[in-house]
Amino acid sequence: MVQKYQSPVRVYKYPFELVMLAYEKRFPTCPLIPVFLGSEVLRESRSADGAQHVVERRCRLHVDAPRLLRKMAGVEHVVFVQRNELNRRARTLHIEAHNETFASRVQVTESCSYTVHPENEEWTCFEQSASLDIHSFFGFENALEKIAMKQYTANVKRGKEVMEHYLSELISQGTCHVPRWTPVPVQEEAFRSALEASSTSREPGPAPEVVGAEGDKLDADYIERCLGHLTPMQESCLVQLRHWLQETHKGKIPKDEHILRFLRARDFHLDKAREMLCQSLSWRKQHQVDLLLQTWRPPAALQEFYAGGWHYQDIDGRPLYILRLGQMDTKGLMKAVGEEALLQHVLSVNEEGQKRCEGNTRQFGRPISSWTCLLDLEGLNMRHLWRPGVKALLHMIEVVEGNYPETLGRLLIVRAPRVFPVLWTLISPFIHENTRRKFLIYSGSNYQGPGGLVDYLDKDVIPDFLGGESVCNVPEGGLVPKSLYLTEEEQEQADQLQQWSETYHSASVLRGAPHEVAVEILEGESVITWDFDILRGDVVFSLYHAKQAPKPGPREPGARASGQLIDKGWVLGTDYSRVEAPLVCREGQSIQGSHVTRWPGVYLLQWQMYSSPGSVACSLPGVDDVLTVLHSPGPRCKLLYYCEVLASEDFRGSMSSLESCTSRFSQLSAATSSSSGQSRSSSLLSR
């Protein structure tokens, strides 16, 4: 159900221009609004005569919700995008805002306006409206609705107090009058300055396209400023892939720079780049990587003993990351924080690297899409070849290679010891050839003098521990005290956290070939729960019961098998029966549900392709098709799913049932069950 809020008209007995000056004091942060953590400008533009000013901001707000709910949702704050359109000529300010966090599950929209009072032009009116539409939120829809409306009402009241405070502050400082905007003749020089200001906005984004007869042209200045040199063929590939994303992708469209990295990684082979990009977008959505820099806080042991950090830039303007691997106790860190925390930290470094590249692009006025890593191996020994550590390293390389292509511009390896060839033999097969060509390896003191680091780093940037003049604040590493090692209980929790990221399964649903999962129930009173996202296409979800398992035979309790399981010779109503009505699930929806079983036997969760009468198949695959989509003809759907079985006594739709789940999302979805007094089955569909 959509909840709507409409405020009464609020009147400030001050001129519009003075109210606007007070309003701007709320940014980029506002200590008077504790939930407002800060904001950044995404885009900004002004008309040549200065009458119109448009600003788009990304704002971070604290989540004033129970700690357990925040922990399960995996966020400590939410992100909203706000667009302000100020018209000084008409004396109006229109504000539109919507949530970016959990946008597929919850939609929050807000519209505000400041206008001149119709009866007194020295007064200003304020109106505000908002809507809250919760498609699904892991079974906490009612709780979220109450929390959101309570917090929103409090913020509306607080907003009036903040405006009154800043207006009083301006007046106390002697600012009682702000002149109204008046038109002035636009000179040629002023017009040119406005264009230059627009071209150096805070964040380079897609410039207006110059679409020719072929529809595959980009603005030349935008390419030169943000992307670098592109041949006509490369430019065409970029436009085609971007247009394909706009037509098929339901979420946030990646920036051109991001798309271009995948094209370069596959030598501008369009199909291969699309395949790789789709796989990465699916991975980012599944693991909420877009929120990583906002939510990740490294453990104390990593902050003290992880010998890596950012350090100025190289001679080409690339951000420089220094990693003193030889001084780092990788085995100790693994035992102190676990593999999952190390992987999260490595991913945060890559996310930060992309962010710094964007900053350097703005600073130097030319495209910088990759960063440089200086890897110091002094101290590397057999301890670093600890088998679990090497296995974890290979996994990290695999993740980074698949999701951050062409972000490493150069790798400078210095002071490589004799044991390095052993390590290189182990890891080199997992590194793409394009990446290996960027490696420069120096043994002994060969990095000093001509042909060494001075060819790639300014002398005042070379760190002091390599004989340079720059004081480097990267932690020196050292042995991790055993007192910081995780206890068995903590290690078990860390292993469970790693399982969370491996819990969801991806599946393709072909026409005429449904995807089915079998769950064996030994006791009648159990609860089957599920949570799945439809990434592409429309599917029909059903739940069946059979007294005996489909071939290849019975399974252990709780064991699952995937694929098409129901024998085509089976007759519905005789060999098996439907226990959940078919549910049509649309592309982009998130569905959670549960079923209270009445009989032992095998329960089959089935997803099959849905085709409405008269529908026309899309000529292009959807955005989350991966790997085999280009080699298998015919349409297909794509989904991510998780299901599990709970004992009936552990499942009462209460918080206690959450403890038995392994997935962060299914922990939440487990609470979607009806109470025991209701119907034996319930399904929740996000609408």
Side-chain angles (χ1 to χ4, degrees):
M1 180 178 178
V2 179
Q3 291 288 339
K4 295 185 177 181
Y5 174 87
Q6 177 67 53
S7 73
V9 178
R10 184 186 306 161
V11 178
Y12 295 102
K13 296 183 179 181
Y14 301 95
F16 176 84
E17 288 73 18
L18 187 63
V19 172
M20 290 299 96
L21 191 60
Y23 175 79
E24 285 300 320
K25 294 177 74 68
R26 297 172 56 170
F27 301 99
T29 58
C30 183
L32 298 177
I33 308 179
V35 299
F36 185 47
L37 302 179
S39 63
E40 60 175 328
V41 175
L42 299 179
R43 297 174 187 84
E44 185 172 7
S45 63
R46 301 175 188 269
S47 61
D49 59 2
Q52 293 181 311
H53 183 196
V54 179
V55 182
E56 187 172 337
R57 295 182 177 93
R58 179 179 284 117
C59 305
R60 294 181 295 113
L61 302 178
H62 173 67
V63 181
D64 188 12
R67 180 176 178 275
L68 183 59
L69 182 58
R70 296 200 309 268
K71 182 178 180 181
M72 290 176 180
V75 298
E76 288 295 330
H77 63 264
V78 295
V79 177
F80 275 72
V81 174
Q82 180 195 75
R83 179 181 174 86
N84 291 2
E85 297 184 6
L86 173 63
N87 189 326
R88 294 186 174 90
R89 180 187 291 106
R91 302 180 76 194
T92 60
L93 172 65
H94 294 291
I95 306 167
E96 299 289 338
H98 65 273
N99 63 305
E100 191 173 82
T101 306
F102 292 120
S104 64
R105 297 178 181 268
V106 180
Q107 288 185 345
V108 181
T109 58
E110 184 185 54
S111 179
C112 307
S113 64
Y114 287 86
T115 57
V116 176
H117 195 285
E119 298 178 1
N120 189 335
E121 64 177 14
E122 295 301 312
W123 290 358
T124 304
C125 296
F126 173 78
E127 292 184 76
Q128 185 174 19
S129 62
S131 66
L132 171 67
D133 187 7
I134 304 176
H135 302 313
S136 67
F137 204 78
F138 319 114
F140 288 94
E141 291 75 20
N142 292 335
L144 178 65
E145 181 177 300
K146 293 178 181 178
I147 292 171
M149 295 308 296
K150 178 182 178 181
Q151 185 166 336
Y152 188 81
T153 304
N155 289 342
V156 168
K157 181 179 179 181
R158 185 62 176 160
K160 180 180 179 181
E161 298 172 358
V162 170
M163 288 295 292
E164 294 285 358
H165 170 82
Y166 284 131
L167 285 165
S168 299
E169 183 178 89
L170 287 171
I171 294 172
S172 66
Q173 295 172 351
T175 304
C176 302
H177 175 73
V178 178
R180 295 187 188 180
W181 176 87
T182 54
V184 294
V186 181
Q187 303 296 329
E188 180 65 23
E189 184 63 27
F191 182 72
R192 187 180 299 111
S193 299
L195 287 178
E196 292 174 356
S198 175
S199 68
T200 56
S201 58
R202 290 178 178 264
E203 181 168 345
E209 291 181 36
V210 180
V211 182
E214 299 177 355
D216 61 351
K217 299 294 183 183
L218 292 172
D219 180 74
D221 177 68
Y222 165 64
I223 294 177
E224 185 69 22
R225 176 168 47 88
C226 301
L227 304 179
H229 175 71
L230 294 177
T231 66
M233 182 276 294
Q234 294 171 343
E235 182 183 330
S236 176
C237 287
L238 174 59
V239 173
Q240 290 182 61
L241 188 50
R242 188 179 69 185
H243 284 177
W244 175 76
L245 286 169
Q246 291 170 342
E247 293 174 358
T248 62
H249 188 32
K250 301 300 182 182
K252 181 181 178 182
I253 302 298
K255 297 178 181 178
D256 285 348
E257 299 93 313
H258 189 87
I259 300 173
L260 194 56
R261 290 189 181 106
F262 287 85
L263 285 166
R264 285 172 172 155
R266 292 298 177 260
D267 297 322
F268 286 88
H269 190 292
L270 190 58
D271 289 341
K272 292 181 179 180
R274 180 168 59 197
E275 174 186 336
M276 185 183 185
L277 178 58
C278 289
Q279 190 173 14
S280 179
L281 290 176
S282 177
W283 172 82
R284 293 184 71 89
K285 177 182 178 181
Q286 182 179 356
H287 298 282
Q288 298 187 356
V289 180
D290 288 338
L291 299 175
L292 187 61
L293 288 181
Q294 303 165 20
T295 58
W296 170 246
R297 297 294 179 270
L302 271 180
Q303 293 180 0
E304 183 176 357
F305 295 100
Y306 188 88
W310 295 98
H311 182 78
Y312 303 107
Q313 55 266 333
D314 66 7
I315 59 174
D316 296 319
R318 297 189 183 103
L320 175 64
Y321 188 82
I322 295 178
L323 180 62
R324 305 186 68 179
L325 183 61
Q327 302 297 316
M328 197 159 61
D329 181 8
T330 53
K331 181 178 181 179
L333 284 174
M334 282 274 291
K335 288 182 172 292
V337 301
E339 179 181 345
E340 181 66 21
L342 276 173
L343 175 59
Q344 291 291 309
H345 193 63
V346 170
L347 296 182
S348 72
V349 170
N350 281 272
E351 290 291 310
E352 177 69 21
Q354 293 185 98
K355 186 177 178 181
R356 287 174 177 263
C357 287
E358 294 174 3
N360 283 18
T361 296
R362 294 191 295 268
Q363 178 181 347
F364 296 109
R366 50 187 170 83
I368 296 174
S369 59
S370 59
W371 46 283
T372 293
C373 181
L374 175 58
L375 182 62
D376 180 19
L377 296 183
E378 185 185 50
L380 190 76
N381 53 47
M382 294 303 295
R383 179 183 176 86
H384 293 85
L385 301 183
W386 179 54
R387 185 177 181 86
V390 173
K391 182 180 178 182
L393 175 62
L394 296 178
H395 176 58
M396 293 175 193
I397 291 174
E398 181 182 17
V399 172
V400 172
E401 281 281 287
N403 298 285
Y404 300 94
E406 296 299 313
T407 54
L408 180 65
R410 185 179 294 121
L411 179 63
L412 303 171
I413 302 175
V414 299
R415 302 199 283 194
R418 292 182 178 180
V419 74
F420 173 70
V422 180
L423 180 62
W424 178 250
T425 301
L426 292 172
I427 67 173
S428 59
F430 294 85
I431 302 174
H432 196 274
E433 182 181 357
N434 289 348
T435 305
R436 289 202 302 266
R437 286 199 291 261
K438 301 171 185 177
F439 286 25
L440 296 170
I441 304 174
Y442 300 93
S443 61
S445 59
N446 292 341
Y447 65 91
Q448 298 176 346
L453 294 183
V454 291
D455 287 2
Y456 307 100
L457 306 177
D458 290 330
K459 292 182 179 180
D460 56 355
V461 170
I462 297 176
D464 49 2
F465 61 84
L466 292 177
E469 303 174 357
S470 179
V471 176
C472 184
N473 294 322
V474 173
E476 296 183 359
L479 291 177
V480 179
K482 292 185 177 181
S483 59
L484 296 181
Y485 286 7
L486 297 175
T487 63
E488 290 185 7
E489 181 180 356
E490 291 171 333
Q491 184 62 51
E492 184 178 349
Q493 293 177 354
D495 293 341
Q496 186 180 34
L497 180 64
Q498 185 174 356
Q499 290 175 5
W500 283 352
S501 63
E502 301 171 354
T503 296
Y504 279 76
H505 306 278
S506 62
S508 295
V509 181
L510 301 175
R511 188 178 304 280
H515 183 80
E516 296 164 349
V517 175
V519 179
E520 187 171 6
I521 301 296
L522 300 181
E523 299 179 359
E525 286 293 327
S526 297
V527 181
I528 303 173
T529 66
W530 55 82
D531 181 8
F532 58 90
D533 283 359
I534 308 301
L535 304 181
R536 184 220 172 202
D538 298 337
V539 302
V540 178
F541 173 71
S542 304
L543 182 65
Y544 298 96
H545 171 263
K547 294 182 180 180
Q548 62 180 2
K551 296 179 181 181
R555 292 168 181 79
E556 296 298 324
R560 302 186 185 95
S562 59
Q564 187 172 3
L565 303 176
I566 297 178
D567 194 312
K568 292 184 178 180
W570 280 13
V571 177
L572 182 63
T574 303
D575 300 296
Y576 67 111
S577 59
R578 180 183 285 119
V579 294
E580 282 280 353
L583 189 63
V584 177
C585 309
R586 303 294 183 180
E587 181 176 327
Q589 288 182 333
S590 298
I591 293 91
Q592 303 83 40
S594 60
H595 177 84
V596 181
T597 63
R598 295 181 63 186
W599 313 283
V602 177
Y603 287 79
L604 296 161
L605 291 81
Q606 182 193 78
W607 295 269
Q608 61 179 342
M609 184 176 292
Y610 171 77
S611 297
S612 58
S615 64
V616 180
C618 179
S619 60
L620 285 174
V623 67
D624 290 292
D625 283 328
V626 295
L627 295 178
T628 59
V629 66
L630 299 173
H631 307 290
S632 301
R636 65 173 58 208
C637 300
K638 190 74 176 179
L639 61 96
L640 285 173
Y641 71 91
Y642 175 80
C643 63
E644 68 175 332
V645 179
L646 299 175
S648 58
E649 61 269 17
D650 295 333
F651 188 91
R652 291 291 181 266
S654 64
M655 300 300 288
S656 61
S657 67
L658 307 179
E659 299 298 328
S660 60
C661 304
T662 55
S663 166
R664 167 168 23 190
F665 295 123
S666 38
Q667 280 184 343
L668 295 162
S669 66
T672 62
S673 170
S674 304
S675 62
S676 57
Q678 294 179 334
S679 170
R680 62 185 174 87
S681 67
S682 64
S683 294
L684 175 66
L685 170 65
S686 57
R687 293 292 185 187

